Amino acid sequence: MQWLQNERVSTLTRRMMSERPPGPGWRAAMNVLEGLRRDPRVFVQEMTGRYGDVVHFRIGHQNLLIFIHPDDIEEILLTKAKSFHKDRVTGLLRVGLGDGLLTSEGAHWKRQRRMVSPSMRKRQIASYAQAMVARAEAFAQTLGDDQQRDIHHDMMILTLEIVTDTLFGADIGADAHQVGQSLEIMLESFLHYTRTWRRLLPPWEVLLNHPVLGMGRGLEARDALDKVIYRLIDERRAQPDAGRQDLVSLLLAVRDEDGSQMSNLQLRDESLTMFMAGHETTALALSYALWLLAEHPEAMARLQQEIDEVLKGRSATFDDLKSLTWAHAVVRESMRLVPPAWAVGREAIEDVEIGGYLMPSKWQALIPIWNVHRDPRWFDKPQDFAPQRWLEPKAQELPRFAYFPFGGGPRTCIGNHFAIMEAVLVLVTLCQRATFAQAEGHSLELHPSVTLRPVGGVVMDVSRRA
Ligand code: HEM
């Protein structure tokens, strides 16, 4: 590793700032498009295998750089974060999510992050543990013996219920389903537009706000969502209750340093953002953890032994989290092998030097978390599912951005503690009551959209534990 680092430093000093990173060149434009369409993870693998840690390529008029070295990623996400904005695809989510944390920039983002952060700190979210376990237990009750289920579908419902109860208050009830469905329709139709029309009509992003090119369903879904969210905000404003711990109530009460409060529009944007960012990713993390455990019965057996020893048959609580070390290692390792957010992107807003290369303003950076997590320079046998690696001292020596399922730097996931707590509590509650095995004839096929989604679900055989 030391040798690799020395080698790298000398490579960087040799590079001229004017030098363009290597890459496939414009003649390979069709191959690039085809490679990205087929599977961007494989495309990145091939490109970095051929050209190294930084690869340049073009799509039409757009210049893109792939970065897979943790030091370069640290520069982009952390030390030189001021030179970047989110990438264009994230920018498109704005049509649905407005200027929430995920999509906003600059002073607006900074103010919102300052105001939302206190409600996502560890101490605040500890009070959500009970609701998470209660929902997981209610779901576990529905599991029959020797049953085949699409666990991804189940986890999407379960995490939506949890985000609803904890962040919005249980009384939103039946509306939760509508919110979940409308979110799905809205995002799907915007992504469909991105994948098809936008590539052909680059300057026509303005069309996103009009019911053309298949956008009608998406905009209808957005209106339905707004109705529910604004009603919720109005109700909370009309009857403020200092005892309420849900996100909308907390955000309604919070004041910025200058004493100002969030407007209804800001509350709407942040609520929808949390709804979207807060349930699908965690549902994926749980589905993949269960799938990998089913594939590795010895890891499942060790988990169930830990659960039985720590919980002794009772329900999990927040205080148990510190004793559930194997469960944490399983969640970490699942998110290494199958990170729910498979990549993050950035756009340079000024000329900036990254990894010894000049990255001009407006160029896009693709940071493929999936590929970095499987780099043999940082992980022994990187394709293996080995939760044990997180319990060994070597795990402390990893470069900072060799493992980053939640991103990093100032734009790091604000829900990371919430997500880990939820994933561990739900996982132990389910594996306390049931065992999951891969269903015959079903494999796991992944489709890298904004998140890494399973094609055809995650189908497993479930049997109840005594
Ligand atoms: C396993 C679950 C999760 C994963 C893998 C995940 C992943 C990520 C990643 C990679 C980013 C950074 C994106 C970037 O830098 O471009 C991010 C940002 C964000 N996440 Fe998560 N997330 C998860 C759960 C959650 C939860 C539970 C919430 C809320 C309750 C949440 C809310 C957010 C928000 C609001 C941002 C934007 C933060 C900002 O830019 O200030 N996420 N997430």
Side-chain angles (χ1 to χ4, degrees):
M1 183 100 66
Q2 187 58 44
W3 177 84
L4 272 171
Q5 273 163 6
N6 290 342
E7 161 86 351
R8 182 170 166 75
V9 170
S10 63
T11 313
L12 294 188
T13 48
R14 275 202 312 271
R15 271 181 201 157
M16 300 292 292
M17 275 283 286
S18 57
E19 198 184 326
R20 177 176 286 191
W26 62 269
R27 278 197 194 86
M30 290 315 285
N31 293 345
V32 165
L33 275 183
E34 180 55 19
L36 283 170
R37 195 194 57 77
R38 238 185 301 133
D39 191 332
R41 296 166 302 158
V42 178
F43 171 75
V44 167
Q45 192 65 34
E46 285 169 5
M47 290 294 111
T48 53
R50 199 173 305 159
Y51 299 108
D53 285 341
V54 189
V55 180
H56 169 254
F57 66 100
R58 289 180 66 127
I59 302 179
H61 62 295
Q62 188 66 67
N63 284 285
L64 293 100
L65 295 176
I66 302 171
F67 292 96
I68 58 157
H69 197 287
D71 293 351
D72 299 343
I73 296 169
E74 183 166 350
E75 286 193 274
I76 298 170
L77 295 184
L78 182 63
T79 48
K80 297 182 182 172
K82 283 203 175 83
S83 303
F84 293 92
H85 273 176
K86 290 285 181 91
D87 64 325
R88 298 224 159 141
V89 176
T90 313
L92 287 173
L93 292 175
R94 251 207 183 105
V95 184
L97 299 179
D99 276 326
L101 275 181
L102 200 64
T103 44
S104 58
E105 300 288 355
H108 180 81
W109 166 79
K110 216 170 178 174
R111 174 178 183 268
Q112 292 300 106
R113 180 97 190 187
R114 211 166 40 227
M115 290 175 86
V116 178
S117 285
S119 57
M120 296 305 283
R121 291 215 178 102
K122 262 190 190 156
R123 202 155 9 106
Q124 176 63 37
I125 62 171
S127 64
Y128 299 150
Q130 208 186 345
M132 290 173 174
V133 174
R135 280 294 189 178
E137 284 180 344
F139 164 69
Q141 290 282 341
T142 69
L143 294 174
D145 212 4
D146 293 326
Q147 206 185 28
Q148 199 169 81
R149 296 186 75 118
D150 176 0
I151 289 297
H152 175 242
H153 175 76
D154 289 336
M155 292 302 107
M156 285 292 277
I157 295 175
L158 179 57
T159 55
L160 183 67
E161 287 170 348
I162 290 175
V163 88
T164 307
D165 283 359
T166 51
L167 297 185
F168 298 88
D171 45 348
I172 134 167
D175 289 335
H177 234 70
Q178 152 134 50
V179 171
Q181 262 179 355
S182 302
L183 259 178
E184 182 74 19
I185 295 171
M186 181 177 86
L187 292 175
E188 259 318 304
S189 90
F190 295 154
L191 284 173
H192 171 76
Y193 171 87
T194 316
R195 280 192 295 261
T196 50
W197 298 107
R198 192 176 153 268
R199 209 174 275 157
L200 301 173
L201 310 167
W204 287 28
E205 275 160 28
V206 64
L207 285 179
L208 273 169
N209 265 316
H210 299 281
V212 291
L213 304 180
M215 288 298 295
R217 256 166 68 79
L219 294 173
E220 258 173 52
R222 184 179 68 180
D223 292 345
L225 276 173
D226 283 355
K227 254 195 210 132
V228 177
I229 298 284
Y230 281 125
R231 204 195 61 225
L232 204 68
I233 295 170
D234 285 344
E235 281 169 11
R236 300 286 195 278
R237 272 206 203 280
Q239 286 185 314
D241 175 355
R244 293 192 74 112
Q245 294 297 308
D246 60 89
L247 186 82
V248 176
S249 302
L250 293 174
L251 295 185
L252 265 170
V254 77
R255 283 175 191 279
D256 197 12
E257 290 156 349
D258 59 3
S260 61
Q261 289 189 292
M262 282 194 205
S263 66
N264 275 10
L265 180 62
Q266 283 161 349
L267 277 165
R268 174 262 182 212
D269 291 351
E270 295 307 349
S271 311
L272 270 194
T273 298
M274 291 296 198
F275 243 123
M276 195 216 70
H279 90 284
E280 196 208 344
T281 40
T282 319
L284 292 171
L286 276 162
S287 308
Y288 299 144
L290 285 168
W291 176 268
L292 288 162
L293 284 169
E295 206 172 38
H296 297 85
E298 70 296 343
M300 173 68 98
R302 185 164 169 184
L303 176 65
Q304 288 177 328
Q305 191 185 345
E306 178 177 272
I307 293 169
D308 294 345
E309 280 170 15
V310 174
L311 303 183
K312 300 194 170 60
R314 61 173 171 76
S315 303
T317 65
F318 179 79
D319 290 334
D320 294 319
L321 285 169
K322 56 183 178 305
S323 312
L324 294 163
T325 46
W326 185 252
H328 274 94
V330 165
V331 169
R332 278 187 83 104
E333 180 67 348
S334 309
M335 286 201 292
R336 182 187 69 80
L337 263 185
V338 196
W342 77 275
V344 291
R346 291 290 185 272
E347 177 175 304
I349 52 166
E350 58 188 2
D351 292 358
V352 55
E353 188 196 327
I354 303 293
Y357 287 113
L358 172 72
M359 180 168 179
S361 175
K362 296 220 165 28
W363 282 32
Q364 309 281 314
L366 171 65
I367 304 171
I369 300 178
W370 166 282
N371 302 76
V372 181
H373 282 187
R374 287 169 178 247
D375 191 327
R377 288 176 290 183
W378 326 120
F379 299 99
D380 294 336
K381 300 195 180 150
Q383 313 292 339
D384 289 2
F385 176 69
Q388 180 63 37
R389 69 172 90 239
W390 296 107
L391 305 177
E392 290 165 0
K394 255 177 91 177
Q396 310 301 323
E397 292 162 19
L398 279 175
R400 188 163 178 173
F401 283 86
Y403 178 76
F404 58 120
F406 294 105
R411 307 289 308 238
T412 199
C413 176
I414 202 168
N416 56 357
H417 299 307
F418 184 100
I420 298 271
M421 176 167 108
E422 179 179 355
V424 171
L425 288 175
V426 171
L427 193 67
V428 299
T429 303
L430 299 187
C431 294
Q432 184 181 38
R433 289 161 172 77
T435 292
F436 299 81
Q438 291 178 348
E440 224 180 281
H442 289 275
S443 56
L444 185 62
E445 197 192 324
L446 300 169
H447 171 69
S449 180
V450 173
T451 50
L452 203 49
R453 293 178 166 177
V455 181
V458 178
V459 182
M460 284 198 261
D461 289 332
V462 184
S463 48
R464 295 187 71 85
R465 283 183 82 206

